[in-house]
């Protein structure tokens, strides 16, 4: 049922070609500045000099622009439509954030600029640390981790350092079955053994199983709360008691923080370490898979081990130029008064560095702008509306297609919820995947599918707070229409999508014979032709 | 309703009715009293767009950026010109706002960009397999050593002191996790000491880590170092500056098994250190041990060419604790900037730009070396950065010299004393296509004066003492 | 043959709704800064106060962004594909120009800023005047006109002022049949009678007809050279002689300047007045129909009448603060040295002002960046490649479909050419319009159709210099394929396009019962609900 | 190959062969020797992107923009906050790079934007018909008077001196073309003198032109002025500031036949005066005499709702010498900015913003009026701008006062003496939502000091004389 040749869209007509297949020998966009120094030969010994120049594209600027603009049009994006990708918090990305992040004072600031001449950046980072500490309910923050899973790794390494400092050798980390894949993967990379904890009938952690598996060999329990099922675990206090009882740490995967701001804080729940996904809760654009940032907040006992450097505020600076020269003269060019913020690298118990420099500052600028825009009231509103929207969609779907797509656990949800497509598969013969693909023809991005693994034919729906009721209704109507359509003719969904540039791709074949780069035609050593 | 939500009173009433709840608060009833905040969040109230813009402008104005001074600061990130088409493409909603391409039918743009990016990185590094990006440079080194461990299960890594201090620090932090010991190989006149490497190598060495050009700007003889490592079955990990690979031999042609590096120099902004991207490329045999996303070519139901995320059985969302890495969200948007930059620079451009850096860097090095109280740190060939020694005494003195230069509107570079006790008097100077001969001459003038001033000041105080 | 319902694209499925139909009462994006002064009632007498607030949209920022982003996707644009719209010079728009135009020093500069504190802007305008004068071959330039037709109006009014100053009353302006519609329209607005001049067999101006119609009552001849037929009129010198012989002026419509830069200048051809279309020859993005700019260049005898103000360079400024205060003190805050450029409003014979302030400065910034980027060599290259590309497409089309779409006049062309679809219409039964619509399914914008009027079923093709040979070939192949397809089944083209968001719109109906605005539901005076 | 072309040597050879020409030059043979340039264009050589960027930055830095000082300068264009979504949308290729929507199937985006824009302008002005934009404000006044001439063939227009001087000058220039005489109506205590208008009105008057608020910031009694004009069958043309129409009555409800104005205040940048856009709205009866593009609603072959350019028989490309205007390329992109801004501001926002301007402007006016040597120019109600008199003497003295303020980082406003001999000592001060109370208090401080300094300086020199 693919569209008739003459009625295909231009995108469907045109074969995908890469930038390496475009252009022609000798074409170019870049023009080099003139050589303004006396040229010298053989600055690189020929043994070290590259023989064959890299075969990069040769294209004019108009070709490059058109190529990538057209590629962009083969993407679905959040600015164009509903994107209820569960666990990813696809909320509106304000353009103000792009504007302020692009200010040259932020965007062209070198990471090794003398702190006395980067006071604006350090002030911003310091203020952000304070704000995140208040939001997490934990006093100390490191902004360094580059994403959530990087934050997780930091958290487990902090746990290791904490125990090591107390002469303890622990070998296991507990993760519930509903945990995101990065949790167990992180545990392995950090050199611990993963111990899975079962879920109870309500979708929460099975306390008995937790008790049974918790002993002195356990270093940490990693928990997401609300969980990836969209359920807030009511037993969190008891879990904390159990885990802390054996001297282990409690790690909070902050990917779902969007559900509870203003209501409950990880610190209040008894967690020792938290990571934030700034690209989720704090609306850093997702960029097709990053960049993000995964700052961590920790309790006092973990603080000594935080990565270095930390941004600190100090009373005053000792001028480097003794001999009573003026602050200005002593500290070099200063802007906006004497410096008060600094980078503290002198942290003897620190786990060290997780990456270069001070973290993804450009992401911090956006997050800071977001927190300043919303304020306390706005952040609470975020969670309230996120939960309201999720429950509204859930309630409507129950009424419309509850029999085919039942809620996996419980009655209500927090900011997201998981449906099971098992009945639909059995009775209508279409899988969750088919439903997802058909949604594409309705101009919407499908929810997360087949995660969490504990639910058969899972559909994880997270509407977020920035969507309107009309959009939520349109989503429910689309799902209902697809289920209805499938009842009449399941083939339509099974072969969907139709209007997209390409349709159902052969993923198995791609993995069997991986073609992960374009094979380029060999070139003459002189690089010509 | 604040910020970016849109629930009107009418919406709220209707939605609560459909849900069957009396209030929004009721939806939070599941949260036990014991863990509730019980007060408002203690943060200032929200502000209108114009006020937030003003505040962020105020903060930006408190920074001295590369737009405000003539800077020769490098040491891992460099002030290259970012062509305007990159801002334009990176800010297109279609690239900026989607997430990881889980639905390939509506993600062909992002997936093809990854495929093109992988092709460009493979070509630059001379290695057949590249992933779609990792976080950034130093953590990429840590990830490479983890791959080595998975590959040969050995637990010792040798790292040249020519490797960026942040990379060495990050490797040390991560290696504790996966239980690998780190030993450093010293430098000899600016480059990795081959003899020391030979001495340190043994059959328990999982990998050696080198950097090209190294932190002091010197070009390493990668071939020789790699050969030594391979004699003992150790993998060779090289952290390379991609922008120098138009004039420097491809690491893949020199025996390197895994080539990683910082991608900022490829069309990404300084951004006070991030976000940029790290690249990660390896030989074919490691393809199934790679970390991160990899795009692959395939066909669709109608036989059209298309692209998908492939080899996902390596990844955490499928393999969980058995995954080759825990990385999930990476740096796709920054990698887009990278491949657009490389397309813009082009096959001739990357050589021309490399040649320009070579020539200007040579000119700068000789010009500064000629100043009183200033001399080269080493005499090795360099591409865009080099080390100097300032005859002014301790690290604080060097800082005072840099302060004097800063007052004259010049950022003279990076004080090596921050990272190398042995170079307490060292200065690292970087040259890009944005630093003209006139800028370099101005640096010579200002630096020369600053060194002289510092010298006389200290003799005075010396006399006084 | 419209696409089957289930295989329609999301765009085709979704009904167009306006921003006024979206949102809901009480929704908003803007938040007002707090009132920071003591409030006072009744500042506007109730008689003057608006009773019913304007019923503007009520929508959140995410709704607004998504609405307009989706609207943008219903446009075809130059960054996405070939756009050979004849007479419009749709060349690549470099993004560098947008970057530099957005620099706050340009973008947030007030037009009435004291010239001593706007020296950068005045220097740029002065340099641009000089550059345009050199390119036109005429010594004096006014940047003021807002677009080409505005420049035409300026030109004819200058002619009127010139003759009036010499006590002459003239009543007619000559325009060839191939003239663009703005030429005769301008003549009428300027109070002259339009006299049409015939074309000769070669498509040039018929000299005999010109001689016959040229007498003392003629004020001006408006000419486009190369003409809208893409033909350079070889008799231009003789025309100048004829027209100047009776004391009339010769006006050059610069819309086609892209064809001759570096080869011939209007001044060299004998023209007195020229307008530039900066949005054509100098690549200001077309913005869906503007903004543009239409600066004019004139000869010495026309100069006294140029609009005011003019940007001038002066030796030095008389400090306003006499009493020997420093330049700085005297002239207020100065940036980058003492001022040397000024606005000269003291022009007694000037025709006055054509608009507010100094013209479309933002366009000047882009044009200046373009001229600096290309330089003399680059501008000549522009015309050479523009003419090369046009002749290449022409030659290939002749070979492929010459019998169905013959060239209207001559053998070769300059930067554009006109084909006639008459044979195709007669033999295949599809009109130029059908060909154009079918091209849309090939992902290309059609050439200009049904203009110039002198050619039956006209197709005016202007490839521009920034297109690659591959793109030109793809265009020719598409045309050939459509003609081929029509030979087999003309219905396909007659019903085209298929893949576009909408298909063949009812223009007649729109004009019969014009609906030019959304009818909004009446609102309560308090503006609520 | 330079700039943005892409013809390689191979391309060239192939293309010339297909054309059947020996060289590119040959293609220019048609140009007679007598009119050839015969030399290269005399302009500097082209430069790389980074150099052009640097040059344009240098020029920008020589301007004192609204980002560099606290400015109260208005007089026709105003420093309002431009929300970031506008830059983002205006810079999208799909809006930025197409031309006039001649092919509606692939131009629905632009056409619907025009339709929405027309709806917004109609709603603001209270007039049923709006076009899709004209160049800018003052030329829109000239275009409106031309419509009046077409409508009633009368040849005299009365213009209030409260109309922007640039609008009056532009009208005068254009009216010479279409043969309309212009007479000015004086002001009485800041507003158009109704008695003078009555006296000047006669049955040969084609139209009257007024401005709301007028150039001195005062709110005109449009109703009364319109009534007077209609008695003589003259059309009423009003140039209005659209951003004040949230708090001021819609001109269409006050008897205005044609409402035009400058659109810059609706989300457009200052740009040293352009590009912005002019709006043009009128009563139903003039729909077929409107200048410029008009979008209309219709349906497509499948019955879908769609939009097209309509009533094109008014336009130059169809009607040529009989067209109602010669306008072709207009300001579509800026009008997009306008309708996005109005959507962002919204129904409540335009009232709130108007109210904020009213309050702050009132506060500023009273605060400055209280300064020694400063007093109100008139006592009429104002919205966002008002006139002052400075007791310092001539126009040069006012300029010196402004220079003193400029040195303190304050742009105090527009010296009325530039345009009105009768107000040689006048200063026009504008207040937007970007000027806080603190800014206003700072202005009072600086202006007060500057006036005092000027007064004492002149008495000194007076004594000296
Ligand atoms: C529940 C959960 N935990 C952890 C992660 C990992 O975060 P990141 O992708 O930022 O590394 C994610 C996001 O994918 C997540 O949804
Ligand atoms: C030949 C010709 N003359 C004049 C014009 C009018 O120029 P503008 O649209 O800038 O007013 C055009 C452009 O449409 C044109 O092609």
């Amino acid at each position: 049922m693919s569209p008739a040749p003459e009625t295909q869209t231009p995108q469907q007509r045109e074969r995908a070609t890469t930038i390496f297949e475009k252009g022609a020998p000798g074409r170019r966009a870049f023009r080099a500045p003139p050589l303004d120094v006396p040229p010298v030969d053989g600055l690189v010994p020929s043994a070290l000099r590259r023989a064959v120049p890299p075969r990069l594209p040769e294209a004019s600027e108009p070709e490059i622009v058109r190529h990538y603009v057209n590629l962009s049009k083969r993407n679905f994006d959040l600015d164009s439509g509903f994107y209820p990708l569960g666990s990813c918090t696809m909320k509106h990305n304000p353009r103000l954030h792009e504007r302020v992040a692009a200010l040259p004072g932020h965007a062209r600031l070198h990471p090794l600029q003398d702190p006395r001449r980067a006071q604006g950046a350090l002030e911003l980072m310091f203020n952000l640390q304070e704000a995140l500490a208040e939001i997490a309910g934990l006093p100390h923050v490191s902004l360094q981790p580059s994403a959530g899973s990087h934050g997780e790794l930091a958290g487990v390494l902090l746990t290791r350092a904490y125990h090591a400092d107390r002469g303890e050798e622990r070998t296991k980390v507990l993760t519930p079955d509903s945990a995101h894949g990065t949790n167990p993967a992180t545990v392995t990379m950090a050199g611990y053994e993963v111990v899975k904890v079962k879920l109870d009938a309500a979708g929460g952690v099975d306390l008995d199983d937790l008790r049974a598996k918790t002993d002195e060999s356990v270093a940490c329990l990693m928990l997401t709360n609300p969980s990836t099922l969209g359920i807030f675990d009511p037993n969190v206090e008891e879990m904390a008691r159990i885990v802390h009882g054996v001297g282990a740490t409690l790690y909070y995967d902050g990917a779902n923080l969007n559900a509870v701001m203003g209501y409950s804080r990880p610190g209040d729940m008894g967690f020792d370490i938290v990571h934030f996904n700034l690209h989720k809760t704090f609306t850093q654009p997702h960029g097709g898979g990053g960049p993000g940032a995964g700052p961590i907040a920790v309790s006092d006992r973990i603080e000594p081990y935080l990565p270095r450097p930390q941004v600190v505020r100090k009373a005053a600076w000792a001028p480097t130029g003794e001999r009573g020269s003026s602050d200005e003269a002593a500290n070099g060019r200063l802007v906006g008064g004497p410096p008060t913020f600094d980078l503290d690298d002198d942290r003897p118990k620190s786990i060290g560095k997780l990456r270069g420099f001070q973290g993804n500052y450009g992401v911090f600028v956006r997050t800071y702008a977001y927190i300043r825009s919303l304020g306390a009231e706005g952040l609470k509103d975020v969670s309230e509306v996120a939960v309201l929207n999720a429950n509204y969609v859930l309630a409507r779907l129950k009424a419309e297609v509850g029999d085919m797509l039942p809620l996996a656990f419980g009655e209500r949800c927090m900011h997201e919820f998981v449906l099971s497509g098992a009945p639909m598969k059995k009775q209508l013969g279409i899988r969750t995947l088919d439903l997802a693909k058909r949604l594409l023809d309705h101009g919407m991005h499908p929810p997360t599918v087949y995660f969490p693994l504990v639910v058969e034919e899972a559909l994880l729906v997270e509407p977020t707070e920035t969507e309107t009721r009309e959009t939520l209704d349109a989503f429910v109507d689309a799902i209902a229409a697809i289920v209805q359509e499938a009842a009449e003719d399941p083939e339509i969904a099974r072969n969907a999508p139709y209007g997209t540039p390409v349709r159902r791709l052969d993923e198995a074949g791609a993995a069997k014979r991986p073609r992960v780069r374009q094979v380029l035609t060999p070139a003459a050593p002189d690089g010509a032709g | 309703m604040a910020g970016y939500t849109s629930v009107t009173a009418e919406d709220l009433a209707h939605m609560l009715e459909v849900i069957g709840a009396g209030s929004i608060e009721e939806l939070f009833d599941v949260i036990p009293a014991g863990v509730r905040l019980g007060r408002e969040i203690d943060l200032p109230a929200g502000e209108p767009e114009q006020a937030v813009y003003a505040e962020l402008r105020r903060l930006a104005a408190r920074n001295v950026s590369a737009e405000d001074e003539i800077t020769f600061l490098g040491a891992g990130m460099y002030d290259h010109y970012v062509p305007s088409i990159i801002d334009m493409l990176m800010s297109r909603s279609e690239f900026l706002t989607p997430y990881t391409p889980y639905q390939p039918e509506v993600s062909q743009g992002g997936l093809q960009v990854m495929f093109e990016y992988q092709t460009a990185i493979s070509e630059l590094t001379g290695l057949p397999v590249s992933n779609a990006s990792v976080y950034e440079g130093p953590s990429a080194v840590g990830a490479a050593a983890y791959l080595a461990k998975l590959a040969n299960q050995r637990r010792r890594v040798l790292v040249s002191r020519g490797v960026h201090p942040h990379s060495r620090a990050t490797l040390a932090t991560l290696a504790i996790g996966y239980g690998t010991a780190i030993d450093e190989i010293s430098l000899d006149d600016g480059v990795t000491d081959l003899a020391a490497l030979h001495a340190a190598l043994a059959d328990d060495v999982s990998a050696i880590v080198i950097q090209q050009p190294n932190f002091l700007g010197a070009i390493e003889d990668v071939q020789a170092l790699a050969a030594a490592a391979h004699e003992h079955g150790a993998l060779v990990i090289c952290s390379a500056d991609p922008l120098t690979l138009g004039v420097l031999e491809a690491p893949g042609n020199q025996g390197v098994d895994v080539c990683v590096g910082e991608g900022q120099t490829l069309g990404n902004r300084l951004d006070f250190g991030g976000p940029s991207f790290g690249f990660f490329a390896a030989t074919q045999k490691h393809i199934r041990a790679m970390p991160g996303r990899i795009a692959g070519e395939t066909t669709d139901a109608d036989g059209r060419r298309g692209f998908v995320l492939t080899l996902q059985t390596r990844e955490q969302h499928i393999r969980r604790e058995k995954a080759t890495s825990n990385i999930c969200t990476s740096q796709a948007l920054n990698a887009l900037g990278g491949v657009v930059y490389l397309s813009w620079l082009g096959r001739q451009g990357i050589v021309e730009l490399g040649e320009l850096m070579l020539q200007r860097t040579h000119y700068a090095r000789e010009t500064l070396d000629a100043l009183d109280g200033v001399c080269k740190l080493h005499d090795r060939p360099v591409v865009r950065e080099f080390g100097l020694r300032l005859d002014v005494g301790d690290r604080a003195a060097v800082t005072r010299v840099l302060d004097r230069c800063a007052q004259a509107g010049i950022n003279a570079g990076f004080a090596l004393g921050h990272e190398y006790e042995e170079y307490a008097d060292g200065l690292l100077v970087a040259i890009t296509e944005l630093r003209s001969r006139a800028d370099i001459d101005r640096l010579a003038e200002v630096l020369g004066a600053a060194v002289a001033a510092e010298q006389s000041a200290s003799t005075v105080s010396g006399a006084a003492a």
Side-chain angles (χ1 to χ4, degrees), chain A residues 417-436:
Chain A
F417 58 88
V418 182
L419 304 180
S420 170
M424 178 180 73
K425 182 179 173 190
K426 194 126 128 291
Q427 294 167 52
L428 302 183
I430 70 166
R431 308 185 53 213
T432 292
L433 182 78
D434 304 318
L435 177 75

Side-chain angles (χ1 to χ4, degrees), chain B residues 162-175:
Chain B
V163 172
H164 195 296
H166 291 180
S167 299
R168 285 182 281 131
T170 302
L171 173 60
T173 300
L174 301 181

Side-chain angles (χ1 to χ4, degrees), chain A residues 282-491:
Chain A
F282 298 93
T283 195
Q284 160 76 25
H286 283 88
I296 51 174
V298 303
S299 57
D300 290 324
R301 60 176 178 156
I302 304 297
E303 187 278 337
Y305 315 101
L306 283 177
R308 59 182 175 78
Q310 279 288 88
V311 179
V312 295
R313 169 189 260 139
K314 44 203 245 181
W317 275 73
T320 54
E322 297 78 8
R323 315 194 190 85
S325 45
S326 81
D327 241 35
E328 182 66 27
N331 288 323
R333 180 167 166 208
L334 299 179
V335 189
T340 51
F341 299 95
D342 196 9
L343 289 169
D344 177 13
D345 240 313
D346 177 20
R347 305 181 50 78
K349 291 189 167 189
S350 168
I351 58 170
K353 293 184 72 66
L354 291 156
R355 53 161 292 160
F357 310 113
Q358 295 82 238
N360 283 341
Y361 176 75
V363 177
F364 307 153
V365 174
R366 292 169 174 87
T367 300
Y368 186 66
Y370 184 62
I371 290 174
R372 290 297 301 249
S373 296
L374 266 57
E377 174 207 5
L379 291 174
K380 185 175 186 179
D381 178 67
V382 162
S383 291
E384 290 188 329
V385 178
V387 171
L388 176 72
N389 283 358
N391 278 283
Y392 177 69
V393 173
L394 172 57
R396 279 213 56 205
L397 282 173
K398 270 189 195 168
E400 299 277 345
V401 293
D403 51 341
M404 294 295 160
L405 292 162
L407 179 63
F409 291 95
E411 286 306 309
R412 283 184 184 164
C413 64
M414 295 299 285
H415 68 301
E416 63 187 351
F417 58 88
V418 182
L419 304 180
S420 170
M424 178 180 73
K425 182 179 173 190
K426 194 126 128 291
Q427 294 167 52
L428 302 183
I430 70 166
R431 308 185 53 213
T432 292
L433 182 78
D434 304 318
L435 177 75
K437 296 304 183 192
R438 186 57 175 150
L439 258 179
L440 299 175
D441 289 324
H442 288 264
M444 299 177 190
H445 195 285
T448 296
V449 292
Y450 301 100
F451 175 81
L453 308 177
V454 293
V455 176
E456 197 188 345
E457 291 289 320
L459 195 71
L460 173 53
V461 183
E462 181 183 15
T464 84
E465 74 279 5
T466 58
E467 297 295 336
T468 62
R469 173 181 136 195
E470 301 88 295
T471 301
L472 304 180
D473 284 331
F475 173 70
V476 173
D477 296 345
I479 299 265
I482 293 168
V483 169
Q484 174 63 33
E485 181 184 67
E488 289 149 21
D489 178 1
E491 279 308 308

Side-chain angles (χ1 to χ4, degrees), chain B residues 65-122:
Chain B
S65 81
E67 204 121 325
D68 308 314
E69 62 183 0
I70 301 173
T71 183
F72 297 87
L73 187 55
M77 285 201 171
Y78 301 87
D79 181 39
H80 288 281
Y81 182 74
V82 178
S84 39
I85 61 170
I86 290 187
D87 298 353
M88 171 256 192
L89 290 167
M90 285 177 74
S91 65
R92 273 187 67 83
S93 297
E94 295 85 342
F95 284 133
L96 185 71
T97 70
Y99 208 176
T100 310
Y102 296 117
Q103 296 289 343
E105 292 87 349
V106 290
S107 310
Q108 285 301 296
L111 285 161
Q112 187 175 326
V113 165
M114 290 179 181
F115 182 80
E116 294 180 354
Y117 163 87
Q118 290 164 191
T119 303
I121 294 298
S122 285

Side-chain angles (χ1 to χ4, degrees), chain A residues 17-20 22 57 59-75, chain B residues 85-86 88-90 92 94-95 108-120 335-344:
Chain A
T17 54
T18 73
I19 190 67
F20 292 88
K22 294 191 167 150
S60 66
E61 179 178 306
E63 287 180 276
I64 297 167
V65 168
R66 202 172 275 174
H67 176 73
Y68 287 104
V69 166
N70 278 310
L71 276 188
S72 77
K73 294 180 186 220
R74 298 166 81 89
N75 274 357
Chain B
I85 61 170
I86 290 187
M88 171 256 192
L89 290 167
M90 285 177 74
R92 273 187 67 83
E94 295 85 342
F95 284 133
Q108 285 301 296
L111 285 161
Q112 187 175 326
V113 165
M114 290 179 181
F115 182 80
E116 294 180 354
Y117 163 87
Q118 290 164 191
T119 303
L336 163 69
V339 68
V340 172
Y341 182 79
L342 287 170
S343 303
W344 176 80

